[in-house]
Amino acid sequence: MRKFVIMGVQGSGKGTQSELLCRDLDLVHISVGDIFRWNVQNHTKLGAQVRRTMTAGELVSDDLVESVVRERLDNHDWNFGFIIDGFPRNGRQAEFFMERYDIDGVIHLELPDDEVRRRVLSRRLCPNCGMDYNLIADRPEVEGRCDICGHELITRADDTPEALNSRLRDYHEKTRPVLELFARKEFIHDIDACASADEVQQSIRETLGLPAYKPAST
Ligand code: AMP
């Protein structure tokens, strides 16, 4: 059983790196942001509670986030382990988490703010099938259309310069205490996230002593 937390600013590749780990190691990827986005898109009661906060790039209340995480982990559908992404985001959430769950390590993806801005503001998403694009590195074949299902691509409501600034500020102010708490238990593995997705994945595998990564193209 392997249990990891992945941390990093928006656009640092947490989602991509988590998916690559899950694919090979049979882990379950738990993204709190994805759970909220699903609820917003499907107009659930939870979606209505978080929609405005998310659009402004602000953090949802700790009580609500903690109950979502508890409920998700209580499903116990993670026989081989999990990787949790987007949580914990502040000191209180980290304490809640460490009191209840043992983890094997924290993968901390490091990326300078300028590169975050460059990546996030060029991000596009297919609201129909969930495929991610990036106008710098991973453009769709037909401009504005999903390669998989042809649906029109959108920009995430919180990928605006204003919301991004708010999220970056929150990240730097509130996430530092989380890193300090995890560092006391020597859980942190700092990874340079400027490299390509395959190279970052290779570094993660080496640092954590996990089975070597074979990129899909080799
Ligand atoms: P993400 O996809 O991780 O960037 O999350 C998208 C949005 O969901 C954030 O901007 C917050 O509004 C909300 N959110 C996700 N995770 C958390 C968390 N751990 N604490 C508070 N709000 C969160």
Side-chain angles (χ1 to χ4, degrees):
M1 174 91 72
R2 295 176 170 123
K3 288 176 276 178
F4 300 113
V5 170
I6 190 160
M7 293 183 58
V9 284
Q10 286 70 28
S12 59
K14 293 180 302 242
T16 305
Q17 297 304 327
S18 301
E19 291 301 339
L20 292 174
L21 282 170
C22 291
R23 194 186 68 191
D24 283 358
L25 305 174
D26 275 334
L27 307 181
V28 171
H29 177 204
I30 300 177
S31 159
V32 179
D34 282 352
I35 295 174
F36 286 145
R37 271 185 289 280
W38 186 91
N39 279 277
V40 170
Q41 245 165 25
N42 290 282
H43 305 284
T44 67
K45 194 172 154 213
L46 175 63
Q49 282 174 284
V50 299
R51 189 177 58 85
R52 250 195 262 163
T53 313
M54 283 183 76
T55 305
E58 288 164 10
L59 292 180
V60 170
S61 78
D62 291 334
D63 285 340
L64 197 55
V65 174
E66 286 165 9
S67 76
V68 164
V69 169
R70 193 183 303 123
E71 203 176 299
R72 181 64 191 84
L73 287 170
D74 281 353
N75 277 345
H76 287 284
D77 57 343
W78 35 275
N79 295 337
F80 296 99
F82 61 77
I83 177 156
I84 189 159
D85 156 1
F87 182 91
R89 284 258 237 285
N90 59 30
R92 171 174 150 177
Q93 293 180 8
E95 271 166 23
F96 162 90
F97 189 64
M98 287 169 86
E99 275 165 18
R100 287 165 182 78
Y101 307 98
D102 292 323
I103 51 162
D104 297 295
V106 175
I107 302 162
H108 176 218
L109 300 179
E110 295 186 296
L111 197 68
D113 285 1
D114 283 351
E115 179 61 12
V116 172
R117 286 199 179 84
R118 203 175 76 90
R119 287 188 185 185
V120 167
L121 299 178
S122 64
R123 204 151 66 166
R124 297 293 180 274
L125 172 73
C126 175
N128 186 44
C129 70
M131 189 74 184
D132 280 318
Y133 295 87
N134 187 294
L135 301 185
I136 306 166
D138 191 12
R139 300 180 70 88
E141 275 173 28
V142 178
E143 199 181 321
R145 293 270 158 201
C146 178
D147 292 349
I148 309 292
C149 69
H151 199 283
E152 192 176 345
L153 300 179
I154 58 161
T155 304
R156 258 172 58 169
D158 55 353
D159 280 350
T160 60
E162 299 74 28
L164 179 59
N165 282 339
S166 163
R167 284 187 290 158
L168 277 172
R169 204 171 38 244
D170 262 341
Y171 186 82
H172 292 301
E173 277 171 17
K174 298 187 178 149
T175 312
R176 198 168 308 123
V178 178
L179 291 173
E180 282 163 12
L181 272 170
F182 282 134
R184 274 191 227 153
K185 297 212 167 186
E186 297 178 15
F187 281 146
I188 307 267
H189 300 275
D190 292 317
I191 306 281
D192 176 3
C194 288
S196 72
D198 284 342
E199 287 166 327
V200 173
Q201 181 67 198
Q202 266 149 0
S203 311
I204 293 175
R205 301 287 181 103
E206 277 164 27
T207 311
L208 293 172
L210 294 171
Y213 168 65
K214 295 186 192 71
S217 53
T218 58

